[in-house]
Amino acid sequence: MAKVTLNHVWKRYGKIEAVIDLSAECKDREFFCLLGPSGCGKSSTLRMIAGLEEISEGEILIGDTVVNKVEPKDRDIAMVFESYALYPHKTVYANMAFPLRVGKRSYTNSEIKDRVHKAAKILEISEFLDRYPKQLSGGQRQRVAIGRAIVREPLVFLMDEPISHLDAKLRTHMRGELKHLQKVLNHTMIYVTHDQLEAMSMADRIAIMNLGILQQLGTPDEIFNQPVNQFVAGFVGDPPMNFIDCTLEASGDNWQLTNDSFKISMSPELIAKFKGKNGDLSSGPMEVVLGVRPENFIITNEKGNEESFPGEVYVTEPLGEDMIVDVTIPKNKLKLKTSVDLDIRMGDKVWLEAMKNKIHLFNRKTQQAYF
Ligand SMILES: Nc1ncnc2c1ncn2[C@@H]1O[C@H](COP(=O)(O)OP(=O)(O)O)[C@@H](O)[C@H]1O
Ligand SMILES: [Mg+2]
């Protein structure tokens, strides 16, 4: 078993609290992503798991063993960093064989050969084994760096932004490769990235962090569709969710979200969800934030139903099939995603309607989600 457990883990660098009371469990054989903006404590967390950084408080377990005091080389992990350093004067084969030659366990030459060839085959770099790093492309070099990590077949892989520096096309390619690789090897993977698309597309589960604090731990679907707060809602999704300040008010059973541009009535289901999260309007209207993803607006040239509201097209960005449309409404500019077939241009008046089963609502003060 190679689950990884963090119990109330803290990392302090002097006065800086880089990781704050982090508890999470990465399951055996799971592809687990640590996601968050730069400086949120991802690398510190990973380095503590690897043993490269002391744990200030709390404990980390690999399998059932507390590893706080276990040397990195005895943790049965392999780590791949963004800045992989291959030995320039060694061939690809020698680079990949290196961890087997210097490790604690000794391997015979034929075992080393088997393992290197097996890893090279998985990574499709068999034909490059006699080359030197400078004779490879960036993506090929990165695969060698990953190969060097997998030859030992460790219990856990730790990867810190391993593909962040690659160009966009190669990054997309490597996303698929890494996900495939993890399923083929069937080992536990903890993968750090600041790129929400990487996390959403590769992970079984995502732990999303901000300012050293775990915000939400869940499947990509849960993170995307049931974000627990405004930070998570805004961090995941591209273009990001629109946030619109509104007032929530009730007159009898008639609950409405209002602002300068629109009135949206709340269905009984939404009211029940709001109340289920201790939402309470008994002491009068409440300041809230409505969240609508760009793809969750219906946009038309003419007024739709009585809840649709007008705006003006600020700019359109056709992207092949989809089109991103910026629309100004009083006090706000919204980003919408629609079909490129919609005939609208800059300056046009359009009508918008939020898809009610897709909207989110946040407490403006605490930024916590009601739904
Ligand atoms: N060795 C260090 N000494 C002091 N502060 C550090 C050190 N390493 C990281 N930090 C600080 O800890 C915080 C978290 O850093 P890090 O874990 O590298 O975040 P991330 O990987 O998410 O970008 C940041 O504020 C960073 O400046
Ligand atoms: Mg980092």
Side-chain angles (χ1 to χ4, degrees), residues 35 193-201 206 224 235-238:
L35 171 68
T193 181
H194 67 274
D195 181 342
Q196 57 97 21
L197 194 57
E198 261 178 44
M200 293 295 284
S201 59
I206 298 171
F224 189 79
F235 196 77
V236 170
D238 182 41

Side-chain angles (χ1 to χ4, degrees), residues 290-344:
L290 171 68
V292 189
R293 293 202 183 275
E295 55 275 29
N296 296 148
F297 280 107
I298 297 164
I299 175 168
T300 47
N301 295 107
E302 283 169 29
K303 184 164 171 62
N305 68 20
E306 74 272 15
E307 286 192 358
S308 63
F309 55 96
E312 186 183 309
V313 176
Y314 180 78
V315 71
T316 60
E317 297 168 67
L319 302 169
E321 295 220 349
D322 296 327
M323 178 161 67
I324 309 294
V325 186
D326 287 17
V327 175
T328 45
I329 61 172
K331 291 193 191 157
N332 272 295
K333 188 175 317 143
L334 305 177
K335 262 204 194 297
L336 279 59
K337 197 176 188 176
T338 179
S339 161
V340 79
D341 299 331
L342 190 71
D343 183 22
I344 51 170

Side-chain angles (χ1 to χ4, degrees), residues 81-106:
F81 299 93
E82 173 172 4
S83 51
Y84 49 89
L86 299 177
Y87 297 104
H89 55 282
K90 288 190 201 289
T91 62
V92 167
Y93 182 93
N95 265 286
M96 286 173 65
F98 188 73
L100 300 175
R101 299 201 193 277
V102 299
K104 217 172 29 156
R105 200 191 129 187
S106 58

Side-chain angles (χ1 to χ4, degrees), residues 11-14 16-19 34-47 53 160-161 192-194 209 212:
K11 180 66 203 177
R12 299 187 188 92
Y13 302 101
I16 298 172
E17 294 186 326
V19 179
L34 282 171
L35 171 68
S38 177
C40 75
K42 306 179 296 293
S43 294
S44 298
T45 303
L46 204 70
R47 291 171 63 81
E53 204 71 72
D160 194 345
E161 316 242 10
V192 161
T193 181
H194 67 274
M209 297 176 69

